[in-house]
Amino acid sequence: MFLHLGTPKPLSQLATTPVSISSARSKLKILVIDDQPFILKEVLASHGYAIHEMRDISAIELVAGYPIVVCDIKGVGATFHTKHEGAHLFREIRRAFPEKYIVAFTGFRFDATYNEYFRVADVSLKKDTDTEAWVKVLDEAIGIMAEPKHRWLRMRRFLLEEARLELWTVLQIETAFIEAVSARDKNKLLSPIKGFGLPDETRHMLTNFAGSLFTDILGGLLSAAITS
Amino acid sequence: MNKPMEDSTLLELKQVLRDTMHEVREFNRVIKANSEMLTRLLQIEHEGSPLSLNTQNADNARGQALAIFQTAQMVSARLDLIDFETNPEVFSSERTITGSVYGKFDKARKMLYPHARHKNVRISLTGESRRKSELYPVFDILPFLLLENAVKYSPSNSQVEIAIEEYQRSIDVAIESMGPLVGREELTKLNAKGFRGSEAKKTGEKGSGFGLYFANFVADLHNAKLAFSSGTESLTFNGARYAPFSVTLSFPK
């Protein structure tokens, strides 16, 4: 027997105020993890992007405040003691923050042994990529990350395909997400997920998701409202 | 049991590496020459003294800087070919950038000027098309490979003519030059990896048969059609029979 009262608000009704890419460039922080100085930093900053650099990270949580992460494949990830270095970081970042836009930054595209890691990233860029191509990729990333709905869709795919949650559980989380975003109240998402009996890792991941999403919404970087 | 296959793969990779090294060194030579000229133009009397450039020298400096940038783009495009050749899957995450086919041919033509001048070969470019298309960064190498091939085999005091026309559904590039005669049965093999025509081999010009293979590879990535035709024998040069040679590239709009 399955009983449920009421109708969930569909995601399609979560209409967001369109964000102009040019204004979002300076608002959505981009983290570059590379053991070498990122030589395009100044050029991309002159295009309006908010580029932040780290030579390496000692904990995955350090990327929490950055919706877009550019990560080198070599010379980083020393703390994690793995031969896959940066490639290992992509996987760990994706596992902890499934919604983040990850750009693999590499001179090793010729090496097919890295393909499984490239697939974890949203896109892979070679080390000598032209500024124009960087702009195209970063604008694409900003277009996705500036929309709460797109962020949720990335998280939803992960919950269904990787975390393998039941569809009904994901629907309940989605309903809570819509309520929370339209009310601009993080707790409307955080409170219900405590009651779904989720594994600790998944609950922690959703808490991170809500944290960064609402930091950006309340910080005026994203806007959203239910149309009806 | 797989040893023969491994050996042939290894030989092929060595050939790709040899060609790449040769071309990258050639591009690097151009970059170094341009950098040296640019440094000379920007020379100051002593550290801390102001830079003074007249209009002509400022124009020259801009030209040299642009040449360095364009040649470096060629190095990138050449390295991209290796990525695609050795790991085709990386192409799935490649992004296009906006550029004009005409502009790319014009750039390659200018880059080949010194080489062509040395051989006393003139490269002309005609056509009205300035249409912008979505091109992968590796496209840069395609005009270069086609024009370099044309200049390499052209007899001295001859001409390489490029005509770019825009049609309703395509942008068509035609390259006409004199080249070693290619028989009908050889024409279909010209874009096969490692193939060189019998008359081309007689010229004594170095070649590995990878240039047109890569050109065809890049054309395919853009859904463009690359075709070759060779006319009837009209002269003998460097011990090889020569004929008008034409390359057509039909690029979908």
Side-chain angles (χ1 to χ4, degrees):
Chain A
M1 190 168 65
F2 178 84
L3 290 172
H4 183 74
L5 285 175
T7 309
K9 283 175 178 152
L11 193 61
S12 58
Q13 283 188 16
L14 187 65
T16 53
T17 310
V19 179
S20 97
I21 295 290
S22 54
S23 70
R25 280 181 183 180
S26 61
K27 294 173 181 167
L28 288 175
K29 291 197 283 186
I30 299 166
L31 174 64
V32 179
I33 308 169
D34 191 348
D35 61 331
Q36 301 295 318
F38 184 53
I39 55 167
L40 283 179
K41 185 178 180 179
E42 277 182 32
V43 176
L44 292 174
S46 73
H47 281 74
Y49 298 105
I51 309 278
H52 301 258
E53 282 186 273
M54 286 187 196
R55 291 282 162 264
D56 202 350
I57 54 171
S58 53
I60 297 298
E61 299 294 323
L62 290 172
V63 309
Y66 304 91
I68 300 162
V69 180
V70 178
C71 185
D72 190 6
I73 210 164
K74 283 279 180 192
V76 295
T79 308
F80 301 90
H81 302 293
T82 153
K83 64 175 181 176
H84 298 300
E85 302 180 46
H88 175 75
L89 292 185
F90 307 159
R91 187 167 276 180
E92 291 303 305
I93 293 170
R94 177 64 77 224
R95 193 173 287 159
F97 304 97
E99 81 284 9
K100 286 199 188 299
Y101 197 96
I102 301 174
V103 180
F105 181 42
T106 175
F108 283 81
R109 298 198 315 167
F110 62 87
D111 188 346
T113 57
Y114 285 102
N115 283 356
E116 61 172 306
Y117 295 99
F118 294 148
R119 281 182 223 121
V120 173
D122 289 279
V123 63
S124 69
L125 287 182
K126 58 200 182 207
K127 285 275 180 170
D128 55 354
T129 294
D130 285 358
T131 307
E132 199 181 340
W134 268 104
V135 167
K136 189 164 190 175
V137 165
L138 293 181
D139 280 353
E140 203 174 281
I142 285 170
I144 291 169
M145 298 312 288
E147 287 273 356
K149 189 160 72 180
H150 289 321
R151 287 200 195 184
W152 165 251
L153 287 172
R154 291 162 72 82
M155 173 58 81
R156 187 173 77 177
R157 191 196 61 74
F158 188 87
L159 293 176
L160 289 168
E161 293 174 16
E162 307 292 332
R164 298 192 179 278
L165 295 190
E166 293 295 337
L167 188 59
W168 172 238
T169 308
V170 176
L171 178 64
Q172 289 177 93
I173 300 170
E174 181 167 297
T175 304
F177 164 79
I178 295 168
E179 293 279 358
V181 169
S182 52
R184 292 166 183 267
D185 181 355
K186 181 165 66 171
N187 291 323
K188 285 187 183 292
L189 175 58
L190 289 177
S191 301
I193 59 174
K194 286 177 192 157
F196 293 143
L198 300 173
D200 286 349
E201 192 185 0
T202 310
R203 204 172 56 244
H204 185 59
M205 184 181 74
L206 282 164
T207 307
N208 282 339
F209 170 75
S212 61
L213 179 73
F214 282 90
T215 302
D216 289 345
I217 289 177
L218 298 173
L221 309 187
L222 314 176
S223 58
I226 290 279
T227 53
S228 63
Chain B
M1 220 163 95
N2 288 331
K3 200 163 186 304
M5 193 183 283
E6 282 171 10
D7 284 349
S8 72
T9 309
L10 194 63
L11 281 174
E12 208 169 84
L13 283 172
K14 276 186 178 169
Q15 185 62 56
V16 171
L17 186 63
R18 218 176 355 246
D19 274 17
T20 308
M21 291 283 282
H22 170 73
E23 282 176 34
V24 170
R25 280 202 186 283
E26 191 55 30
F27 289 138
N28 196 39
R29 186 188 60 78
V30 176
I31 290 173
K32 284 170 87 173
N34 282 310
S35 312
E36 205 177 331
M37 283 191 269
L38 182 60
T39 309
R40 230 176 276 161
L41 281 168
L42 300 179
Q43 222 154 34
I44 48 175
E45 273 185 31
H46 52 84
E47 206 177 314
S49 62
L51 173 69
S52 161
L53 275 184
N54 60 32
T55 311
Q56 194 189 347
N57 281 348
D59 285 345
N60 283 344
R62 261 192 300 277
Q64 299 294 349
L66 183 64
I68 292 167
F69 178 63
Q70 289 177 336
T71 314
Q73 279 182 317
M74 287 294 178
V75 176
S76 293
R78 192 64 184 81
L79 296 176
D80 284 354
L81 277 180
I82 302 237
D83 288 344
F84 297 149
E85 178 73 6
T86 53
N87 185 16
E89 193 180 315
V90 293
F91 180 68
S92 61
S93 71
E94 193 72 347
R95 297 294 197 273
T96 58
I97 46 179
T98 309
S100 93
V101 173
Y102 184 98
K104 300 288 182 191
F105 272 86
D106 194 31
K107 183 168 93 177
R109 177 176 74 122
K110 286 173 182 160
M111 289 184 69
L112 285 161
Y113 263 155
H115 181 41
R117 200 169 44 230
H118 182 68
K119 287 194 71 174
N120 211 5
V121 171
R122 193 169 161 257
I123 313 174
S124 67
L125 173 61
T126 57
E128 297 298 320
S129 171
R130 301 291 186 275
R131 189 188 177 87
K132 299 276 185 185
S133 305
E134 286 301 307
L135 306 169
Y136 291 104
V138 73
F139 187 85
D140 280 338
I141 202 80
L142 173 58
F144 186 86
L145 289 171
L146 296 178
L147 297 183
E148 189 198 32
N149 198 61
V151 171
K152 178 166 82 174
Y153 290 112
S154 285
S156 52
N157 296 314
S158 67
Q159 189 159 336
V160 173
E161 293 174 6
I162 315 158
I164 302 180
E165 297 297 335
E166 199 173 321
Y167 297 98
Q168 203 172 356
R169 292 187 175 175
S170 65
I171 297 167
D172 288 5
V173 182
I175 304 166
E176 309 276 350
S177 62
M178 286 300 289
L181 178 73
V182 185
R184 194 184 298 170
E185 69 289 354
E186 286 189 332
L187 272 178
T188 54
K189 298 177 193 164
L190 274 188
N191 54 22
K193 193 189 278 185
F195 181 81
R196 289 191 81 200
S198 52
E199 295 299 317
K201 285 179 190 166
K202 291 181 191 170
T203 62
E205 293 286 353
K206 282 183 185 165
S208 59
F210 277 79
L212 295 182
Y213 163 74
F214 280 138
N216 191 59
F217 181 83
V218 178
D220 272 353
L221 292 179
H222 293 84
N223 296 318
K225 283 197 166 50
L226 187 62
F228 310 101
S229 67
S230 182
T232 51
E233 180 184 349
S234 57
L235 63 99
T236 303
F237 180 71
N238 273 353
R241 292 182 293 155
Y242 264 65
F245 184 71
S246 67
V247 179
T248 54
L249 177 73
S250 186
F251 191 84
K253 269 185 177 171

